[in-house]
Amino acid sequence: MSTTLDLALAPVTPGAPARTYLVKTLGCQMNVHDSEHMAGMLEQAGYVPAGPEDAAAEAADVIVINTCAVRENAADKLYGNLGRLAGTKRGRPGMQIAVGGCLAQKDRAGIVERAPWVDVVFGTHNLDVLPVLLERARHNEQAEVEIAESLQVFPSTLPTRRESVYAGWVSISVGCNNTCTFCIVPHLRGKERDRRPGEILAEVEALVGQGAIEVTLLGQNVNSYGVGFGDRTAFAKLLRAAGAVDGLERLRFTSPHPAAFTDDVIDAMADTPTVMPQLHMPLQSGSDRILRAMRRSYRAEKFLGILDRVRAQLPDAAITTDIIVGFPGETEEDFAETLRVVEASRFASAFTFQYSPRPGTPAADLPDQLPKAVVQERYERLHALQQRISLEENQAQVGRTVQVLVAEGEGRKDGATARLTGRAADNRLVHFSAGAEAPRPGDLVTVVVSHAAPHHLVADGAVPVVRRTRAGDAWERRTSGGDGHEGPQDGGSACGTPAARGPVSLGLPTARG
């Protein structure tokens, strides 16, 4: 890397209009948070976000695609986006396209070979080079590909442009030490590296100081936090300490691993009022034989025991999961075990995936890959079962009084229905009638659930009780032109679980895959 060249280049020529950017995120919560760092670095370098109309039309000077590599269609999504952008770029002189994230880490220069109109490719370990690579590509008039083999800068030290001012992510670790045979994440994100507790708490306090009332602790396996510095009880301690931050009202985390989920974490959840009554616990399969083949170091009865202990201390907890259908060698008996465990678990919702081989994973080379038709038929049966359970669990909420954190733009039909949308404490999506006193995103409303669907609750009828919050004040300041992003001093199953829709990223699925 040429330091002289890097220092000489500037993204904005003095007196010229600032170049606009758009970051498109494909993938999980970790990708969403990485995209916030990318946006923060671009803004620190002088770029400005594309306006809503330009963003919708993909009319920006720089478009960054942050990719996922977990699912089979990840590459299809990327190259579909790139193919569409090729025409846009031809009609927009000076436009640049950058590709980052897990698929970039995996495919490297192959992306430029397949899509030669891409200007920059960078990986999961070197997010910080994005602005420099963009300028180098402009200067040299050729594509720049830079992939690091290990983490160069801890992402939480980077500038951050938060999607939401009232709810935010805080990374507690990066990477993963597990060896699940279906998963390519450890290869792409490296071994687990834990942040020190003081750094995490400082970031939580900074977020709360800026107006946030909800924080989600984020890691590939959050409950293994502390192994890197020799404290296996560190995650439970972190939950208690973060939950005690003055001004924080809601604390969530994602995602834990059943093999390392211990009772001290359940105790911390139950003892800390700010920890919300919800849990995302990836099952993957209900068959012990398949779990062994997946190298998932727990068995179905242990998984069910965890759920029992959670519900014993948090009776109202909503539990969600991830499930893979059609893993190599899965028999009808194995699949029946998955159906049995799902029926017993009573998940509020589930992300269900059809297994697809990921090159570079051990499972891709296993014999007995299942025919597509068999996998599809099982997937449909599982989906129907979970749909029924989700509806039954949501119908049990009818008549309950719930407190909802009002969201911005999460209800796709709110305009047509004259409703607003937010998340209950257990992370269920709630659409509600606004009433005369329209709350702002970030405010809290108390409503009575009137009816239910598999993926959401509705609260019509009773007028909501609105509590205006400093989070709502922060949202109002941002929308009226106040400063809405952090500088470099403020920035601080995730992978595999798609991120929630909209700018409020709360760490749990909103619909099945």
Side-chain angles (χ1 to χ4, degrees):
M1 181 182 297
S2 171
T3 304
T4 303
L5 176 61
D6 296 344
L7 293 175
L9 294 172
V12 180
T13 303
R19 285 169 59 79
T20 60
Y21 77 87
L22 171 65
V23 180
K24 296 170 63 70
T25 307
L26 309 176
C28 65
Q29 293 95 336
M30 190 70 77
N31 282 38
V32 172
H33 194 34
D34 284 348
S35 291
E36 292 182 331
H37 294 313
M38 294 173 194
M41 288 184 296
L42 290 172
E43 292 194 15
Q44 186 185 63
Y47 297 85
V48 298
E53 291 185 6
D54 284 345
E58 297 181 325
D61 297 314
V62 170
I63 295 183
V64 183
I65 303 178
N66 187 12
T67 63
C68 172
V70 172
R71 302 184 70 177
E72 182 179 25
N73 63 354
D76 295 338
K77 284 186 176 181
L78 169 63
Y79 291 107
N81 274 271
L82 292 177
R84 187 178 61 253
L85 290 172
T88 305
K89 186 177 181 182
R90 283 193 295 270
R92 190 180 179 94
M95 178 181 171
Q96 291 181 289
I97 299 171
V99 178
C102 289
L103 199 61
Q105 185 77 26
K106 173 179 171 289
D107 289 356
R108 306 183 178 220
I111 292 173
V112 175
E113 293 170 4
R114 184 168 170 180
W117 55 93
V118 170
D119 299 278
V120 167
V121 178
F122 62 105
T124 58
H125 298 309
N126 59 336
L127 305 183
D128 56 303
V129 303
L130 172 59
V132 166
L133 293 182
L134 286 167
E135 293 316 305
R136 197 187 299 165
R138 290 176 67 195
H139 180 273
N140 295 338
E141 297 183 344
Q142 64 181 27
E144 295 289 336
V145 178
E146 187 169 306
I147 305 293
E149 298 302 327
S150 60
L151 195 65
Q152 305 299 295
V153 177
F154 207 102
S156 294
T157 65
L158 299 172
T160 308
R161 207 281 182 190
R162 301 275 180 180
E163 281 288 322
S164 168
V165 294
Y166 47 87
W169 305 105
V170 172
S171 290
I172 68 172
S173 63
V174 294
C176 180
N177 291 339
N178 290 320
T179 58
C180 303
T181 56
F182 57 81
C183 186
I184 199 169
V185 169
H187 174 66
L188 300 179
R189 289 193 177 267
K191 292 291 186 181
E192 181 176 325
R193 288 182 58 179
D194 295 334
R195 295 175 71 191
R196 300 302 299 183
E199 296 175 1
I200 297 168
L201 294 175
E203 186 176 352
V204 173
E205 290 168 353
L207 271 174
V208 172
Q210 293 157 8
I213 59 174
E214 175 169 302
V215 165
T216 301
L217 303 179
L218 182 64
Q220 303 293 156
N221 293 296
V222 288
N223 55 315
S224 65
Y225 174 76
V227 172
F229 49 84
D231 186 353
R232 294 184 178 273
T233 65
F235 184 62
K237 295 174 183 175
L238 182 64
L239 279 181
R240 294 178 187 272
V245 169
D246 188 37
L248 182 66
E249 300 196 32
R250 293 183 168 198
L251 181 64
R252 305 183 189 274
F253 59 89
T254 194
S255 292
H257 192 293
F261 198 80
T262 49
D263 288 349
D264 62 326
V265 174
I266 302 174
D267 293 341
M269 294 172 66
D271 294 344
T272 310
T274 48
V275 175
M276 294 293 95
Q278 52 95 166
L279 179 66
H280 186 72
M281 183 65 72
L283 170 63
Q284 306 302 2
S285 174
S287 162
D288 288 351
R289 190 180 73 85
I290 296 299
L291 288 171
R292 281 192 292 271
M294 291 178 167
R295 292 187 197 154
R296 301 283 290 181
S297 48
Y298 56 89
R299 300 296 173 255
E301 292 313 306
K302 176 175 180 176
F303 183 92
L304 290 170
I306 292 171
L307 304 197
D308 288 342
R309 294 195 298 279
V310 169
R311 287 177 169 138
Q313 296 206 53
L314 293 96
D316 296 328
I319 300 176
T320 59
T321 198
D322 298 333
I323 302 170
I324 296 172
V325 177
F327 189 81
E330 181 188 75
T331 64
E332 182 61 29
E333 291 73 21
D334 293 321
F335 181 65
E337 281 297 288
T338 294
L339 296 180
R340 178 187 71 83
V341 175
V342 168
E343 185 76 69
S345 297
R346 306 298 298 179
F347 297 118
S349 66
F351 275 100
T352 52
F353 304 91
Q354 296 186 38
Y355 172 78
S356 58
R358 308 310 296 143
T361 63
D365 298 322
L366 289 176
D368 300 324
Q369 303 282 332
L370 270 62
K372 171 67 175 176
V374 172
V375 179
Q376 180 68 34
E377 189 274 335
R378 289 178 185 172
Y379 174 84
E380 291 172 0
R381 273 192 282 158
L382 175 60
H383 180 78
L385 171 62
Q386 185 55 53
Q387 283 278 96
R388 173 178 64 77
I389 294 171
S390 293
L391 179 59
E392 291 170 355
E393 291 298 303
N394 279 357
Q395 286 173 332
Q397 304 295 310
V398 173
R400 292 191 63 185
T401 298
V402 297
Q403 189 177 66
V404 176
L405 175 60
V406 182
E408 179 181 24
E410 206 167 348
R412 288 174 289 173
K413 298 180 181 178
D414 285 351
T417 60
R419 294 186 180 119
L420 297 177
T421 295
R423 295 277 172 176
D426 63 8
N427 206 48
R428 284 183 166 94
L429 191 68
V430 182
H431 305 294
F432 62 93
S433 301
E437 185 187 356
R440 307 159 300 176
D443 287 339
L444 290 161
V445 300
T446 302
V447 298
V448 179
V449 178
S450 58
H451 55 284
H455 305 301
H456 65 266
L457 305 175
V458 175
D460 284 341
V463 177
V465 177
V466 178
R467 174 156 73 85
R468 293 172 70 86
T469 68
R470 54 188 184 74
D473 295 341
W475 176 86
E476 198 164 21
R477 286 193 300 272
R478 174 185 271 196
T479 55
S480 64
D483 186 19
H485 68 276
E486 302 171 14
Q489 300 305 312
D490 303 316
S493 163
C495 271
T497 303
R501 293 184 57 87
V504 183
S505 301
L506 301 180
L508 287 180
T510 60
R512 290 167 196 75

